[in-house]
């Protein structure tokens, strides 16, 4: 009768140790890959939500999106803008129209300093995404501004390309569409991507990353490895 050889305690411990080392080496990669997948899904959702906002608003107000005659100041820093474009179409969980309605602190992309953005107008979607309006230029009937989009709300790290991304919107403005590289004269859009201008603050980050993720088919874009 052949006796089977049992594993010794030492052999078992060695085997478990090897498994532990392999797990420790591969787990960070698996976790990072999962985080990228989750981030892509969140960006897809916000992209769909905001492009639908643009289409639905244009269906109601026309492609120009110029303020109706009874709304003489529907710029992004007014209640009229939210009444026309945000509240009816997005049904936000919370709107931030008054100073301090939505406390928010972002880490500066260039300096690493804490930037207090609590007084910036914006809104929070039902899924917790926080959107702030920044960098407003111009006034009615023509203006443009940026959407700051924090895909996990007020939770950290509040850092560009980690959980913070940017897009643009504009009414009656001359611009270049970043997805098609085509010029748009006197165009209006509640959600679009601009081209990256070398040397500017958002070149290659923010709007650049969000745009390049879309252009690459929702994958980590070539030459932009820090986007996801």
């Amino acid at each position: 009768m052949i006796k089977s050889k049992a594993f010794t305690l030492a052999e078992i411990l060695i085997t478990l140790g090897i498994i532990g080392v392999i797990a420790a080496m591969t787990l960070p990669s698996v976790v990072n890959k999962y985080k990228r997948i989750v981030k892509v899904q969140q960006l897809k959702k916000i992209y769909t939500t905001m492009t639908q906002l643009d289409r639905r608003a244009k269906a109601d107000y026309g492609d120009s999106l110029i303020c109706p005659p009874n709304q003489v100041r529907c710029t992004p820093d007014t209640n009229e803008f939210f009444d026309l474009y945000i509240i009816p179409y997005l049904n936000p969980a919370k709107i931030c129209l008054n100073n301090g309605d939505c406390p928010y602190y972002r880490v500066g992309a260039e300096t690493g300093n804490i930037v207090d953005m609590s007084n910036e107008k914006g809104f929070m979607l039902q899924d917790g995404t926080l959107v702030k309006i920044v960098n407003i230029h111009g006034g009615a009937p023509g203006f443009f501004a940026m959407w700051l989009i924090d895909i996990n709300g007020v939770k950290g790290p509040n850092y560009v390309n980690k959980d913070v991304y940017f897009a643009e919107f504009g009414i009656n403005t001359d611009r270049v569409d970043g997805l098609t590289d085509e010029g748009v004269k006197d165009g209006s859009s509640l959600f679009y991507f601009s081209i990256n201008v070398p040397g500017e603050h958002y070149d290659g980050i923010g709007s650049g990353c969000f745009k390049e993720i879309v252009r690459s088919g929702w994958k980590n874009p070539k030459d932009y490895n820090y986007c996801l």
Side-chain angles (χ1 to χ4, degrees):
M1 183 176 181
I2 300 175
K3 294 182 179 180
S4 60
K5 182 180 178 181
F7 290 107
T8 66
L9 178 59
E11 291 173 327
I12 294 175
L13 292 176
I14 291 172
T15 302
L16 291 175
I18 294 172
I19 293 173
V21 170
I22 294 174
M25 294 173 61
T26 59
L27 186 58
S29 176
V30 173
V31 171
N32 288 335
K33 183 176 181 180
Y34 172 76
K35 288 181 178 179
R36 287 195 294 271
I37 292 172
V38 171
K39 188 182 295 187
V40 165
Q41 293 306 313
Q42 290 171 311
L43 290 173
K44 274 186 178 181
K45 186 175 181 179
I46 190 67
Y47 180 82
T48 300
T49 297
M50 298 302 284
T51 51
Q52 286 179 348
L53 160 68
D54 184 54
R55 287 196 295 268
R56 293 176 63 193
K58 286 179 178 177
D60 289 339
Y61 297 110
D63 288 343
S64 66
L65 290 175
I66 296 176
C67 304
N70 62 326
Q71 303 284 355
V72 296
R73 278 282 299 165
C74 60
T75 51
D77 56 350
T78 64
N79 291 7
E80 286 86 353
F81 179 83
F82 283 80
D83 290 340
L84 281 172
Y85 302 126
I86 304 302
I87 297 173
Y89 301 109
L90 296 180
N91 186 29
K94 185 176 183 179
I95 57 174
C96 316
L97 294 175
N98 302 310
N99 292 347
D101 279 350
C102 296
Y104 180 73
Y105 300 86
R106 182 175 66 85
V107 179
E110 294 176 337
T111 64
N113 294 333
I114 302 299
V115 182
D116 186 353
M117 306 188 70
S118 301
N119 292 337
E120 304 291 346
K121 296 181 184 294
F123 52 91
M124 184 174 290
L125 297 176
Q126 298 291 337
D127 64 359
T129 300
L130 178 67
V131 181
K132 290 275 191 173
I133 296 172
V134 297
N135 197 27
I136 301 173
H137 284 68
F143 63 83
F144 65 91
M146 298 188 75
W147 298 119
L148 178 152
I149 303 165
D150 193 315
I151 58 178
N152 65 350
V154 298
K155 299 178 182 177
N158 299 349
Y159 196 89
V160 173
N161 301 328
K162 298 296 184 181
D163 55 350
V164 175
Y165 291 84
F166 292 89
E168 284 77 31
F169 65 102
I171 305 295
N172 195 29
T173 60
D174 295 345
R175 59 184 174 81
V176 176
D177 189 308
L179 290 179
T180 63
D181 295 329
E182 295 179 355
V184 180
K185 185 173 179 57
D186 298 330
S188 297
S189 177
L190 291 177
F191 188 82
Y192 72 94
F193 299 114
S194 65
I195 61 171
N196 292 348
V197 179
E200 287 193 356
H201 175 74
Y202 296 108
D203 175 42
I205 63 172
S207 174
C209 270
F210 198 169
K211 177 190 70 177
E212 295 301 330
I213 291 169
V214 176
R215 293 184 71 169
S216 64
W218 301 102
K219 298 177 182 178
N220 208 37
K222 184 180 180 181
D223 299 327
Y224 289 81
N225 292 328
Y226 47 80
C227 285
L228 288 172

